[in-house]
Amino acid sequence: MELDNIECISSSDGMDEDEIHHHHPQFPSSKLHNNVVSSAIHPTTSVHELLECPVCTNSMYPPIHQCHNGHTLCSTCKTRVHNRCPTCRQELGDIRCLALEKVAESLELSCKYCSLGCPEIFPYYSKLKHEAICNFRPYNCPYAGSECSVVGDIPYLVAHLRDDHKVDMHSGCTFNHRYVKSNPREVENATWMLTVFNCFGQYFCLHFEAFHLGMAPVYMAFLRFMGDETDARNYSYSLEVGGNGRKLIWEGTPRSIRDSHRKVRDSHDGLIIQRNVALFFSGGDRKELKLRVTGRIWKEQQNPDGGACIPNLCS
């Protein structure tokens, strides 16, 4: 679903495009998934290659299987190849390659995201668990209007959102959006709008959309932080919508884009407006949606005297 008309009023000038281009990563997102990092110990490189499954090319973890001729593969692919060795086509039994499993225990390897800044080195069997939560792992594209598979670091995704998804970019920590829809009775499970804000040297995604909450059509606005959850907790934001002398206010902490758009939406972590209320705010004959959503982002700072957090509001 698309809006018939969107008016965005920002409190400051647009984003400096030169700043975005300056931060492009060295490696495009398409290469991040296939980034293979060599062992931290150079003599083990050939052993690391032996631990690569010939079918899925991923590192093998116990149980590592082998055929009667000594060819190995991972337990997942053993089922996929219908119990036939992919190398010699001999039937696979239930033979474990215990020697290779023991060799793997002696290896120490760099995190596969070392080229993105992770300095950690792990025993072979701890590496996979770390990589699943590594703070340097690439982020998924936060655009929710399509099944976008692009991954990358934050500067790369900012440029991707601007250039490929044509997302509106704004500088400043306050926003004032007006959403207009000529036929608000058409409520589908679809994203309406995504806007990216640059403030405090960070990027934030403002979502506004329509969907069904149970059987009830609702509108929802929420903010996501383009970074990890730990850093997201340093910020707060408020949203306000109203009309006819009434208003609704939401205040909360932005969720990290590590959490998917659907996860945030389905947790109801944002400003939710029922359609009837939204039409009441719109005024008129309730045949057209006219909502103005205003908001502010601020950074929480520690008070050096009392230790309590005090808001740092940007101008």
Side-chain angles (χ1 to χ4, degrees):
M1 178 189 301
E2 296 182 355
L3 288 175
D4 294 338
N5 184 27
I6 300 173
E7 176 186 350
C8 176
I9 305 172
S10 179
S11 60
S12 55
D13 295 335
M15 180 181 299
D16 185 355
E17 295 190 2
D18 292 336
E19 179 183 353
I20 297 177
H21 286 292
H22 177 72
H23 290 292
H24 269 281
Q26 293 181 339
F27 303 101
S29 61
S30 60
K31 295 182 179 179
L32 290 174
H33 274 308
N34 299 321
N35 183 23
V36 178
V37 180
S38 61
S39 167
I41 305 173
H42 294 291
T44 65
T45 301
S46 59
V47 178
H48 183 251
E49 292 173 354
L50 288 175
L51 286 163
E52 183 178 280
C53 176
V55 179
C56 65
T57 70
N58 293 325
S59 296
M60 293 187 290
Y61 293 86
I64 298 175
H65 296 277
Q66 71 175 34
C67 72
H68 291 282
N69 292 326
H71 303 126
T72 57
L73 77 164
C74 71
S75 58
T76 301
C77 290
K78 181 176 184 289
T79 304
R80 293 170 57 188
V81 298
H82 305 293
N83 209 37
R84 288 282 179 180
C85 175
T87 304
C88 66
R89 307 306 300 169
Q90 294 294 315
E91 184 175 352
L92 292 168
D94 292 318
I95 306 173
R96 289 271 295 275
C97 188
L98 298 178
L100 195 56
E101 291 178 8
K102 286 291 185 181
V103 169
E105 290 180 358
S106 67
L107 298 182
E108 289 190 343
L109 305 174
S110 300
C111 171
K112 74 175 180 179
Y113 302 123
C114 66
S115 62
L116 299 178
C118 182
E120 302 292 341
I121 297 175
F122 295 91
Y124 185 85
Y125 291 139
S126 302
K127 176 174 175 285
L128 193 65
K129 183 178 180 180
H130 159 78
E131 290 170 350
I133 59 173
C134 178
N135 288 335
F136 292 91
R137 70 191 189 278
Y139 297 86
N140 295 319
C141 173
Y143 191 80
S146 64
E147 296 297 327
C148 184
S149 60
V150 169
V151 297
D153 62 11
I154 298 304
Y156 183 86
L157 290 181
V158 169
H160 164 69
L161 289 170
R162 182 200 62 207
D163 298 337
D164 299 330
H165 293 298
K166 310 303 179 185
V167 168
D168 289 334
M169 301 282 178
H170 298 277
S171 292
C173 301
T174 61
F175 42 88
N176 186 347
H177 284 257
R178 184 170 177 262
Y179 301 97
V180 178
K181 182 65 180 174
S182 60
N183 187 2
R185 301 293 172 181
E186 296 179 358
V187 178
E188 299 176 2
N189 192 12
T191 296
W192 277 18
M193 187 172 181
L194 172 65
T195 307
V196 173
F197 291 90
N198 176 16
C199 65
F200 297 112
Q202 305 290 342
Y203 293 95
F204 301 82
C205 296
L206 175 64
H207 296 265
F208 185 84
E209 63 181 84
F211 65 100
H212 282 93
L213 184 56
M215 298 297 294
V218 298
Y219 307 109
M220 184 175 180
F222 57 91
L223 196 73
R224 288 201 291 166
F225 174 73
M226 295 188 69
D228 284 316
E229 181 181 357
T230 302
D231 295 326
R233 294 173 186 155
N234 295 326
Y235 302 91
S236 297
Y237 75 102
S238 64
L239 296 173
E240 181 178 312
V241 62
N244 292 328
R246 283 86 169 171
K247 63 183 177 181
L248 292 174
I249 299 176
W250 167 269
E251 187 172 303
T253 300
R255 295 280 286 273
S256 166
I257 60 172
R258 294 285 189 207
D259 290 336
S260 69
H261 160 269
R262 182 175 293 275
K263 180 179 180 180
V264 179
R265 191 198 69 185
D266 291 349
S267 68
H268 308 159
D269 194 0
L271 177 64
I272 298 178
I273 314 156
Q274 293 183 352
R275 182 172 64 187
N276 288 338
V277 175
L279 292 176
F280 175 75
F281 286 163
S282 300
D285 55 6
R286 299 194 175 197
K287 293 184 178 180
E288 186 177 40
L289 177 72
K290 294 180 180 179
L291 280 182
R292 185 175 295 277
V293 179
T294 61
R296 175 181 288 272
I297 305 167
W298 66 88
K299 185 175 183 179
E300 303 287 355
Q301 288 188 334
Q302 287 295 125
N303 187 336
D305 297 325
C309 288
I310 57 175
N312 177 20
L313 303 179
C314 72
S315 58

